[in-house]
Amino acid sequence: MHEIGIVRSICKTVLDYAKANNVQRISEIVCEVGELSLVIPKYVEDIYPHVVEDTFLKNTKLILNIVPGMAECDECNEVFNVVEHKGYCPHCGSFEKTILTGRDFLIREIHIPE
């Protein structure tokens, strides 16, 4: 389960940001999880409270937004959801594609209360 390492990395990045910018409190961390990133959002959500329980982030809310895994067919240029169509182009049936979105996992926003 590599999600624990991902959650620790999120925490380190956010804590480094808070320290560098003299941020006293963070209310929410918003992340984007690509459908094709091999990260299981449920595991991240389950692990997060345990990783942050004794840290500056213990009262923060983690919000995960799923980014669809989209691709363009190399044969007919159809843009389609890779997961929904099991990797095959719904227009021509080709498996040859160029991935456009959905591979990344990133911190999109850090919300600081006013």
Side-chain angles (χ1 to χ4, degrees):
M1 180 185 309
H2 64 282
E3 282 79 7
I4 194 162
I6 290 168
V7 172
R8 285 182 177 153
S9 180
I10 291 169
C11 293
K12 181 180 180 342
T13 300
V14 172
L15 290 170
D16 289 349
Y17 170 83
K19 184 176 180 181
N21 293 281
N22 199 27
V23 172
Q24 302 302 314
R25 189 165 163 258
I26 293 172
S27 58
E28 297 176 336
I29 301 169
V30 180
C31 295
E32 291 185 352
V33 183
E35 276 186 319
L36 308 175
S37 69
L38 304 178
V39 174
I40 301 171
K42 175 75 172 128
Y43 291 174
V44 172
E45 290 172 340
D46 290 347
I47 292 168
Y48 182 77
H50 301 289
V51 172
V52 301
E53 67 188 348
D54 293 326
T55 73
F56 168 78
L57 301 173
K58 71 179 177 182
N59 294 317
T60 61
K61 180 178 179 182
L62 179 66
I63 300 169
L64 301 179
N65 296 323
I66 309 303
V67 177
M70 302 299 289
E72 181 177 14
C73 177
D74 292 344
E75 301 297 322
C76 72
N77 299 322
E78 178 82 7
V79 175
F80 64 98
N81 184 294
V82 176
V83 174
E84 184 179 316
H85 297 285
K86 299 180 181 167
Y88 291 93
C89 175
H91 184 257
C92 73
S94 174
F95 194 71
E96 300 302 315
K97 60 194 163 293
T98 301
I99 302 298
L100 303 174
T101 63
R103 284 188 182 163
D104 300 326
F105 182 101
L106 58 94
I107 300 169
R108 172 59 62 196
E109 300 170 12
I110 299 171
H111 295 181
I112 301 166
E114 293 181 27

